[in-house]
Amino acid sequence: MKITIFGTGYVGLVTGACFAERGNDVFCVDIDRDKIAALSRGEVPIFEPGLEQIIRNNLRSGRLIFSTDAAAGVAHGELLFIAVGTPSGEDGSADLSHVLAVARTIGTYMQTPKVVVDKSTVPVGTADRVREVVAEVLAGRGVEVEFDVVSNPEFLKEGAAVSDFMKPDRIVIGTSNPRSARLLEALYAPFNRNHDKLIHMDVRSAELTKYAANVMLATRISLMNELANLAERLGADIEAVRRGIGSDPRIGYHFIYAGAGYGGSCFPKDVKALVRTAEDVGYEATILQGVEAVNERQKRVLGAKIAAHYGGRLAGRVFAVWGLAFKPNTDDVREAPSQTLIDGLLAAGASVRVYDPAAGRVMAQRYAGCNDFTLCTERDDTLDAADGLVVVTEWNEFSSPDFHKLKARLREPVIFDGRNLYDPTYLADLGFTYYGIGRGTPP
């Protein structure tokens, strides 16, 4: 099939590359000329396992094209995917300016029937707005062209997006138009061979499904962090509690790990957007408001533990920080807990020596010119002259360090473990002072 993707951000790149990998002719459009030029050379601006190779393979095969030519993009695809960003506005609502700009572009250049597919995470009712904008532009041109607007939300995990796309848990298609549904069924047939993963519903339900999924996961994280903070004050160990409740099949083990808070481009933005949507229809979403409030507080927990350990005297101290990305296997630092931690340490007069396998360069740009921020290219180089170690992201290479060497290089054998990677008893036996999240030691 001939497909056009508007937007070469995270979702657009993965979507376009994976459709091309299954033999479709994919035309990706973006207004950023430098980005398009780099992508056309096979240079991928994000870190996502497996994505770069797929893009390069399909560039060579000719099935994947990157361009700034929107008119050519509209002409190319029978299916036109909108995969541009929907960042949070000042009031927390999703900014639809990019989505509606693409809708105007489609209306401007459309000559033959098209199916417009909302892939971006958008508020309920966005498909109606896209339809109105396209129709308005067509009317202004004085032409009549048949088109439909469908919701087909993505459910990609950063760090596992290629696998998620190629082997999806579910494929949600939101439309009441049988022809549009058949087109999408045909497009997704190669991804739907083992068993039927297609879930058909109306457009508005599909739009809400995406938000509901992210908010449900964010709620589990915030609830677990709330329980962890309570466990500390009760002398309980949240890791034991996690195993106890996770064994219940009604709960399971996914997304019940206490830590330093969630971040990234999805959960924070989508929780805020759904709260705003609720307000717009006169409903107070109390639980959703609490999810966001707990997460913002949780991002400050590590900093509070550090300050308490040193009696609030952080000026002149140096801290090794392992992990900058909001989760492993990505270079995404948007809303990452590491930013809250580092900002607090620097404001208190401390210095940081940081390392991340993928996100170091991205974070270094944020702190460019800051003499108290040092980016290290090797994990253990952060330990030199450091007063303590702070673990913020659970990358695999942080799981089993040589604690004897670590102890020898730190000025003081103290670890602040924001992801509960280590065994407190084992570290205590080695002579470390250990602070986890919800491990029975009050902040």
Side-chain angles (χ1 to χ4, degrees):
M1 300 181 75
K2 292 191 174 184
I3 303 163
T4 296
I5 311 288
F6 284 93
T8 58
Y10 186 85
V11 172
L13 277 180
V14 173
T15 300
C18 290
F19 278 146
E21 181 73 1
R22 284 290 181 260
N24 299 287
D25 292 325
V26 180
F27 194 103
C28 294
V29 180
D30 203 291
I31 61 174
D32 188 332
R33 293 185 179 276
D34 292 339
K35 187 178 186 181
I36 288 297
L39 286 167
S40 297
R41 295 190 299 268
E43 300 171 8
V44 182
I46 60 174
F47 177 81
E48 181 62 40
L51 180 61
E52 184 175 285
Q53 192 60 50
I54 289 178
I55 288 176
R56 291 181 175 178
N57 290 346
N58 286 280
L59 282 170
R60 284 194 295 269
S61 71
R63 290 193 299 268
L64 183 61
I65 295 172
F66 295 101
S67 175
T68 59
D69 190 341
V74 174
H76 172 87
E78 183 177 10
L79 291 164
L80 308 178
F81 281 78
I82 300 178
V84 294
T86 54
S88 292
E90 292 184 2
D91 61 355
S93 62
D95 181 354
L96 294 178
S97 59
H98 302 305
V99 171
L100 299 181
V102 173
R104 283 188 288 272
T105 297
I106 292 170
T108 299
Y109 296 114
M110 188 167 60
Q111 302 289 346
T112 57
K114 306 288 182 182
V115 175
V116 180
V117 184
D118 280 337
K119 199 69 172 173
S120 301
T121 301
V122 293
V124 176
T126 298
D128 294 337
R129 294 186 64 183
V130 169
R131 182 177 288 104
E132 290 168 2
V133 169
V134 174
E136 182 180 293
V137 175
L138 288 174
R141 291 170 53 201
V143 298
E144 292 186 9
V145 183
E146 183 182 352
F147 72 96
D148 189 25
V149 181
V150 175
S151 176
N152 173 222
E154 53 85 15
F155 299 96
L156 307 177
K157 299 186 296 291
E158 291 194 43
V162 171
S163 175
D164 285 346
F165 199 100
M166 302 301 273
K167 299 177 181 179
D169 296 318
R170 72 283 207 197
I171 302 165
V172 172
I173 298 175
T175 182
S176 57
N177 185 315
R179 179 181 177 276
S180 298
R182 286 194 297 271
L183 277 174
L184 284 166
E185 287 171 0
L187 175 64
Y188 280 109
F191 306 91
N192 191 41
R193 297 186 67 182
N194 292 338
H195 62 275
D196 190 7
K197 303 167 187 175
L198 293 171
I199 303 175
H200 290 276
M201 60 184 70
D202 62 277
V203 173
R204 287 185 168 237
S205 296
E207 291 171 332
L208 182 57
T209 296
K210 169 60 179 178
Y211 275 109
N214 279 353
V215 167
M216 180 68 74
L217 297 175
T219 300
R220 286 171 69 98
I221 295 171
S222 279
L223 176 58
M224 205 63 187
N225 283 332
E226 190 90 294
L227 291 172
N229 296 333
L230 180 60
E232 284 193 353
R233 288 154 176 81
L234 295 175
D237 186 346
I238 196 62
E239 284 297 292
V241 174
R242 177 182 63 80
R243 293 191 295 272
I245 65 175
S247 59
D248 186 331
R250 297 171 300 174
I251 298 173
Y253 290 102
H254 294 296
F255 286 84
I256 61 168
Y257 289 83
Y262 61 74
S265 63
C266 295
F267 288 3
K269 172 177 68 72
D270 293 350
V271 171
K272 292 173 186 174
L274 197 54
V275 168
R276 177 65 185 187
T277 296
E279 292 173 351
D280 289 343
V281 295
Y283 181 75
E284 184 178 3
T286 307
I287 291 178
L288 301 188
Q289 293 170 359
V291 168
E292 178 65 14
V294 168
N295 190 60
E296 287 303 306
R297 183 178 64 194
Q298 197 68 19
K299 289 181 179 181
R300 298 190 293 270
V301 166
L302 271 180
K305 290 176 181 291
I306 295 170
H309 176 79
Y310 294 101
R313 296 180 294 274
L314 301 182
R317 295 192 180 276
V318 180
F319 294 97
V321 178
W322 287 1
L324 301 170
F326 83 95
K327 63 180 289 188
N329 296 316
T330 181
D331 62 353
D332 193 345
V333 299
R334 287 174 287 184
E335 304 264 2
S338 63
Q339 292 191 33
T340 302
L341 171 74
I342 292 171
D343 287 347
L345 293 175
L346 295 178
S351 300
V352 294
R353 296 175 58 81
V354 308
Y355 169 75
D356 188 284
R361 178 183 55 82
V362 179
M363 190 67 92
Q365 294 174 354
R366 171 182 169 84
Y367 293 99
C370 177
N371 294 329
D372 292 323
F373 179 95
T374 301
L375 175 65
C376 299
T377 57
E378 297 292 337
R379 182 195 69 183
D380 291 350
D381 288 348
T382 62
L383 304 173
D384 294 334
D387 291 283
L389 169 63
V390 190
V391 180
V392 190
T393 312
E394 62 275 31
W395 286 91
N396 285 339
E397 68 176 275
F398 302 157
S399 298
S400 301
D402 186 327
F403 288 109
H404 296 284
K405 291 182 179 179
L406 194 154
K407 184 179 179 182
R409 295 181 72 168
L410 288 172
R411 285 179 177 172
E412 179 186 347
V414 57
I415 296 176
F416 302 91
D417 182 0
R419 297 298 172 184
N420 289 345
L421 297 182
Y422 309 132
D423 182 345
T425 302
Y426 176 69
L427 289 183
D429 290 343
L430 293 179
F432 282 90
T433 301
Y434 174 84
Y435 297 91
I437 305 294
R439 308 306 297 269
T441 304

